[in-house]
Amino acid sequence: MPAFLEDYRAQVDRALEKIMPPEGTNPSRLVSAMRYSLFAGGKRIRPILVLSSASCLGAGSDSAMSAACAVELIHTYSLIHDDLPAMDDDDFRRGKPTCHRAYDEGTAILAGDALLTLAFEILSNSETGHPVSPEVRVRMIAALAKAAGWRGMIGGQQVDMDSEGQVPTQPMVEYIHTHKTGAMLRCSVLLGALAGGADDEELKGLKRYGEKLGLAFQVVDDILDMTASTEAMGKDHGSDKARGKITYPAVFGLDESRQRARKLIDEAREALAPIENSEQLADIAEFVLLRRL
Ligand code: GRG
């Protein structure tokens, strides 16, 4: 694992620790459940993408850190809700009991809701250290709301649920993956680009990088769901197939899915051509393929 990734991860963890209420704060069961899931050992790829895309445009972590924390808060909420009995009904996440198993269903719903709303609170609050102009901040808030909402992650989740057990097709799997997973990854890159003051050409390249990487991330996840052990995944192995989920391997088979993942990562890297100092982003793409991130 390159040092820059470890360094980003440590910075994100420190920033999250600062914005989160300490254990024991009232209402203590809610705060404890929020902290339990937020500090359960996530890879922090979304905040790393925010910081790295801001950094290649010359912006320091301070200008992008609120956005980096906001995307991780939303990601954590989505995992908590995705694991609920009404959705995937999973018992384990990141190798630990899921939030509703460790606490209870009602608390898990509220912990997810509280993380979602906290994301917008810190992104909109100039006092939490976010030295970008009010105009840029509003653009970031709008981009995050769109990516997390009905036209993005939540829309993808709905189609994912509705299509369980249906005959898998390419348009269906691409819709699900680009919305459910891709939207938040693309948005992470976009938020970094906005914090870094990207010009039109840089914005175009970074958006394309985020799109390709976002789709590749879920394709790799689908492949791993079929091939990796439960221990390595930290969640149940083969669960997609058992549930009749629409996945890349279900549409294209394993070999072609691997080739498509490779191609998407190459395209993500090519999109960085007009952007100087984008080596870290190129490395991150490669790590996504090798699933070390
Ligand atoms: C329930 C509102 C709601 C949305 C659900 C994102 C999502 C939509 C559900 C999360 C579950 C899931 C399997 C999403 C696919 C994306 C994915 C592979 C998530 C895991 O992300 P990682 O690998 O997780 O970055 P860590 O644990 O490292 O944070």
Side-chain angles (χ1 to χ4, degrees):
M1 179 72 60
F4 80 89
L5 290 175
E6 292 295 357
D7 187 44
Y8 276 143
R9 195 177 297 177
Q11 283 183 44
V12 170
D13 283 345
R14 279 197 299 274
L16 287 170
E17 192 57 65
K18 263 195 198 162
I19 59 162
M20 285 302 289
E23 201 73 52
T25 308
N26 264 335
S28 58
R29 189 169 173 81
L30 175 67
V31 168
S32 179
M34 291 162 75
R35 295 184 58 95
Y36 174 81
S37 291
L38 190 62
F39 297 112
K43 298 183 290 299
R44 311 296 194 211
I45 178 169
R46 293 157 191 80
I48 289 174
L49 283 170
V50 178
L51 298 177
S52 184
S53 82
S55 157
C56 73
L57 302 169
S61 291
D62 56 339
S63 54
M65 193 54 92
S66 303
C69 291
V71 294
E72 189 65 14
L73 293 172
I74 291 188
H75 170 61
T76 305
Y77 123 75
S78 77
L79 298 181
I80 295 174
H81 282 195
D82 187 64
D83 290 335
L84 286 168
M87 297 217 180
D88 276 359
D89 195 9
D90 275 315
D91 292 339
F92 289 95
R93 164 78 59 188
R94 296 162 168 168
K96 293 172 66 176
T98 45
C99 191
H100 66 276
R101 285 276 170 201
Y103 292 82
D104 58 83
E105 218 177 308
T107 302
I109 292 170
L110 293 178
D113 292 342
L115 291 166
L116 168 63
T117 43
L118 182 60
F120 288 101
E121 183 184 330
I122 60 150
L123 192 53
S124 54
N125 185 353
S126 55
E127 285 169 19
T128 45
H130 191 232
V132 296
S133 69
E135 290 77 17
V136 170
R137 197 175 312 139
V138 169
R139 276 183 81 183
M140 293 167 100
I141 293 166
L144 186 58
K146 186 174 172 191
W150 72 273
R151 282 163 294 181
M153 180 179 75
I154 293 178
Q157 177 78 351
Q158 181 69 46
V159 177
D160 188 32
M161 287 184 342
D162 293 346
S163 58
E164 271 182 32
Q166 289 186 23
V167 177
T169 64
Q170 181 170 355
M172 227 187 243
V173 76
E174 280 177 358
Y175 185 95
I176 293 168
H177 286 16
T178 53
H179 289 74
K180 184 180 84 169
T181 312
M184 283 297 294
L185 285 153
R186 176 184 181 275
C187 179
S188 302
V189 178
L190 174 61
L191 294 183
L194 292 173
D199 64 26
D200 287 349
E201 201 191 0
E202 288 165 336
L203 208 52
K204 196 171 153 211
L206 286 168
K207 278 183 182 170
R208 186 170 162 80
Y209 166 84
E211 261 160 40
K212 298 291 175 183
L213 183 80
L215 179 53
F217 189 88
Q218 185 58 54
V219 176
V220 172
D221 198 71
D222 287 353
I223 294 168
L224 284 173
D225 187 79
M226 284 187 72
T227 57
S229 69
T230 298
E231 196 187 346
M233 292 289 279
K235 59 177 189 174
D236 290 342
H237 155 81
S239 53
D240 289 344
K241 193 168 181 193
R243 288 191 185 109
K245 289 253 187 206
I246 308 282
T247 64
Y248 251 59
V251 176
F252 298 108
L254 258 183
D255 283 349
E256 192 178 335
S257 297
R258 288 195 178 104
Q259 287 162 22
R260 283 176 180 259
R262 174 74 264 170
K263 187 161 178 278
L264 286 164
I265 293 297
D266 290 343
E267 289 168 348
R269 297 179 59 141
E270 281 156 26
L272 297 172
I275 295 141
E276 285 177 32
N277 306 316
S278 55
E279 298 79 13
Q280 285 185 352
L281 289 176
D283 285 352
I284 290 171
E286 215 53 51
F287 272 100
V288 161
L289 187 67
L290 301 174
R291 198 49 154 157
R292 288 205 245 135
L293 240 183

